[in-house]
Amino acid sequence: RDVCQDTPDTIRASEVRRALRWQCYCPTTYRLYDFMEKFNLSHSESLDRPAFIKVFANYRFINIGGARKAFRIVDGDRVSWGQVKIKQLSELLESTGHSPSKKSIAKLVERAGDPEVMIGWREFLLLEVHYRAGLLEALRENMGFTPDEVKDLREEFEAADTQKQGYLHFEGLRKIVDNHPPALPNDELRKLVQESDLNMDRRIQFNEFLWITRRLQDRRDREVMAQAQAMRKEIGFNIDEVRQLRDLFSAADTDNSGAIDFAELSTIVSGFVSMCVEAAYELKQVVREVDDNSDGVLDFWEFLQLLRILQVRNWRNFKGITSGMGST
């Protein structure tokens, strides 16, 4: 109901991220788009309740599979199920797409009763359910944000509250919004402020700031997904090629952050080109061209742009070596 406000009982594919949050899965934009591409979901596609339930079931199955391999013991053609130390719980939850805090892990270990206990696959699934149940309480209290996200947002809010009044005026909010592209026109931002100001005091309290930020993130999700699909067509890689390149990217993105740094990029490229000192320098120059937000890392779509540039310029015979990766 929280998501289906514009069209009752139907959500757009671009709103799946928020809907997944109410099931206590908080995917990064890249991780979500990666999933949407696998199931050929357009950002503008509409989903009714049964369709969303199917999407959620597929999402959970795929992500929970990230932890399943830790319990599987393969001996030739035989596969059996083993146990792992509960100390690995944080790592296991991260492999399924969660971002557990130390506090939440401590609670789960306490529930298990012994910090040295071994757990099997079924015990892990139960602990994952308990983790999501605890997270749901926090999401309900915080407009759909996790405790860590609320902490970061409060820091931004307090930094913009230069007079330490406990609230913001429009100008303070404007500065925060400008730090998180894409840009939003003043009239649209003012409309959000008016909708959030239920007591009509013209002051943006922190809970109103959370409400506004949640709407802004929903807007960004829609725009990012639309831009990503348009970019794939513009770059020229087809769906199968994108999937192959996604596998390369995911193998390097070991922390599932949705971004890779230069060292991780070099590891990928070294599979095609000998990475001498000069090659590393040249590659860094291309990274600067595609790193739109200058954060020093590449998301998946910046990575695709970089590969296409290397092909077009035939950097160190890159075009010939990677001839199977799309037409130029």
Side-chain angles (χ1 to χ4, degrees):
R1 288 192 300 268
D2 174 72
V3 181
C4 303
Q5 294 181 357
D6 299 331
T7 53
D9 297 323
T10 302
I11 65 172
R12 290 187 294 270
S14 59
E15 296 171 323
V16 165
R17 187 181 186 186
R18 197 208 306 179
L20 285 173
R21 276 182 170 257
W22 290 118
Q23 301 297 325
C24 302
Y25 287 99
C26 304
T28 62
T29 302
Y30 161 72
R31 196 180 185 107
L32 175 65
Y33 189 80
D34 175 67
F35 168 76
M36 303 292 270
E37 277 272 289
K38 285 179 181 177
F39 287 87
N40 295 320
L41 290 173
S42 166
H43 73 282
S44 58
E45 187 172 341
S46 294
L47 303 172
D48 58 16
R49 189 186 299 270
F52 170 70
I53 291 174
K54 183 177 180 180
V55 166
F56 168 69
N58 285 330
Y59 182 86
R60 188 169 191 274
F61 179 80
I62 289 174
N63 283 275
I64 210 74
R68 190 183 296 113
K69 60 185 178 183
F71 296 89
R72 287 166 59 89
I73 300 173
V74 180
D75 182 11
D77 295 332
R78 296 181 58 188
V79 177
S80 58
W81 294 90
Q83 294 183 316
V84 301
K85 293 182 178 180
I86 199 168
K87 290 181 179 179
Q88 295 177 242
L89 185 57
S90 179
E91 180 182 340
L92 290 170
L93 286 173
E94 288 173 359
S95 71
T96 67
H98 293 304
S99 300
S101 65
K102 291 181 179 180
K103 184 177 180 181
S104 62
I105 290 296
K107 285 184 177 180
L108 293 173
V109 172
E110 183 180 352
R111 175 180 286 274
D114 183 354
E116 299 298 324
V117 73
M118 302 288 287
I119 59 172
W121 175 240
R122 292 184 181 277
E123 288 84 2
F124 168 72
L125 290 179
L126 182 60
L127 288 170
E128 195 261 353
V129 169
H130 285 304
Y131 167 77
R132 291 197 291 125
L135 182 59
L136 181 58
E137 294 180 15
L139 292 172
R140 284 173 173 167
E141 292 174 2
N142 300 315
M143 306 284 181
F145 290 108
T146 67
D148 286 342
E149 290 170 335
V150 170
K151 181 182 177 181
D152 292 340
L153 289 170
R154 186 173 289 280
E155 288 177 358
E156 277 197 285
F157 182 89
E158 292 177 350
D161 178 18
T162 56
Q163 301 300 315
K164 306 305 175 187
Q165 301 173 101
Y167 58 84
L168 300 178
H169 290 298
F170 182 82
E171 292 74 16
L173 176 65
R174 176 81 263 177
K175 290 180 180 178
I176 294 176
V177 172
D178 287 344
N179 289 331
H180 301 279
L184 185 70
N186 271 343
D187 59 339
E188 294 186 34
L189 184 57
R190 288 188 186 280
K191 182 179 179 182
L192 284 177
V193 171
Q194 291 171 359
E195 291 175 354
S196 72
D197 189 17
L198 298 180
N199 59 4
M200 303 181 69
D201 63 356
R202 297 189 178 182
R203 295 174 178 178
I204 305 169
Q205 311 292 340
F206 184 66
N207 65 323
E208 295 169 337
F209 171 68
L210 288 181
W211 188 93
I212 293 169
T213 303
R214 222 276 299 276
R215 268 65 188 176
L216 290 175
Q217 288 198 353
D218 291 345
R219 175 193 174 100
R220 291 188 189 109
D221 285 347
R222 291 193 295 270
E223 292 183 357
V224 167
M225 288 188 66
Q227 290 169 358
Q229 290 184 332
M231 187 180 295
R232 176 171 63 78
K233 294 178 181 179
E234 179 182 335
I235 292 173
F237 293 119
N238 62 40
I239 291 178
D240 289 336
E241 291 159 352
V242 168
R243 286 173 178 164
Q244 293 172 16
L245 295 173
R246 188 195 298 118
D247 290 340
L248 276 177
F249 185 90
S250 298
D253 180 24
T254 54
D255 60 357
N256 292 315
S257 65
I260 56 174
D261 59 24
F262 186 76
E264 293 167 327
L265 173 65
S266 296
T267 299
I268 295 174
V269 175
S270 65
F272 304 102
V273 172
S274 177
M275 288 300 293
C276 60
V277 175
E278 288 184 357
Y281 174 80
E282 294 165 359
L283 186 60
K284 283 183 179 179
Q285 305 309 307
V286 183
V287 168
R288 292 193 180 97
E289 292 182 41
V290 300
D291 185 12
D292 293 333
N293 55 4
S294 302
D295 58 0
V297 295
L298 300 181
D299 63 26
F300 181 61
W301 298 102
E302 291 172 331
F303 170 68
L304 289 189
Q305 284 182 284
L306 179 136
L307 292 184
R308 177 56 81 205
I309 289 173
L310 297 182
Q311 282 190 334
V312 169
R313 296 177 183 175
N314 198 22
W315 175 71
R316 294 180 177 264
N317 195 32
F318 197 79
K319 179 179 178 180
I321 297 172
T322 60
S323 57
M325 297 196 309
S327 60
T328 55

